[in-house]
Amino acid sequence: MSCGNSRSSKCNPCGPSEAAMNAIADRAAYYARIAVEAANVAQLEDGGHARWGYIGDGVQQAFNLPGAGTIFAPSYIVGIDGVLQDPDNYTITYGDPYTLNMSVPVPAGSEIVIVSIKGITGATGPIGPIGPIGPSGGPTGATGLPSPAGGIRWAFTSDGSNTLYALPGAFSTLNTAYLVTYDGVTQDPNNYTIAAGSPYSITLSTAPAAGVGIVIVSLNGIQGATGQQGTPGGATGATGPVGPSFPSGGLRWAYTGNGSQTVFNIAGASTTLGTAYLVAVDGITQDSANYTITAGSPYTLTISTVPNGSVIVITSLTVGLANWITGFGSPNGVVTAPTGSVYTNLTGGSLSTLYVKESGSGNTGWIAK
């Protein structure tokens, strides 16, 4: 299949149009002015959601990552002029600071943006009220539930003028806590802002062209619940610890398409939630609405045909933790998840709003609380 995009060597049927690539090139001058300032500013605790940006000179392959906290390559999203890079094409080296080493130099004038996708640690939950003093030996309050995984997804189609979109269920105003793509091309976090509200909302710096698909996925975990108060009459229950932050993920699978294969094994996977995976074909991020995950031994990913010779890379964003899932109606017989998962029914109702997966690994075993 031929392609009319003359400005990029990354030409494939899933890639952006020539008009989209021209728009990226036109923004390069703007990125050059802001890249140096942004590189060392957007740093967060524990290396989560930190962002670094540089402009290539055609020679440089190593880039400093001050504040980084892991050498695991799939824990970083790397884009060159908005095109997602395969983790096989770069390595992370421990040091002060850590460094990212590309397999080949970044072209002169091209912008490389690096974002850490490790979840940040939630703040310590408030201390529960002190229970009445009773005889010693009262039971200790239960440990708080683990924090649910990130992965809420919103999708819109641009009308060419609107720049404001609602994000119901969002809980962070940190722009690097979200992955935003236009027709599969990753966007620089400097090009959008998140505002708190009911619901939260995202404002884009400029409106994409009419018809462009906008997909937004949250990446960070949230704070764990506070432990239960001690039973009245016993000793004061201890405050439950903050739930663990969402891990950096990291299971990775890669295949080369033959033009007909649509099902790919993902051995070691543990969830059927589509937004718990990052899927790219020849470096172009795919909309999670275009693929499904099926439980089995092993789990499998089903997607529309991958072109012959194209490389599909699948990266998990969770590492086998129980999930916190939202939906409408009862999950029994519908939602597949590991034991310990929590489901919130957005329809509501007495004894039908919160469910806990107490047994099994399929779509049964959900108990209303």
Side-chain angles (χ1 to χ4, degrees), residues 345 347-355 368-369:
N345 175 13
T347 304
S350 177
L351 295 179
S352 63
T353 297
L354 184 67
Y355 293 78
K369 299 296 182 178

Side-chain angles (χ1 to χ4, degrees), residues 313-335:
V313 176
I314 308 157
T315 303
S316 68
L317 300 177
T318 61
V319 187
L321 290 180
N323 299 320
W324 191 307
I325 306 169
T326 61
F328 294 91
S330 170
N332 270 309
V334 177
V335 179

Side-chain angles (χ1 to χ4, degrees), residues 148 271-273 323-327 335-338 341-345 366:
T271 176
T272 60
L273 187 65
N323 299 320
W324 191 307
I325 306 169
T326 61
V335 179
T336 298
S341 295
V342 177
Y343 174 91
T344 300
N345 175 13
W366 292 100

Side-chain angles (χ1 to χ4, degrees), residues 302-314:
T302 302
I303 191 172
S304 58
T305 303
V306 176
N308 185 32
S310 290
V311 176
I312 178 173
V313 176
I314 308 157

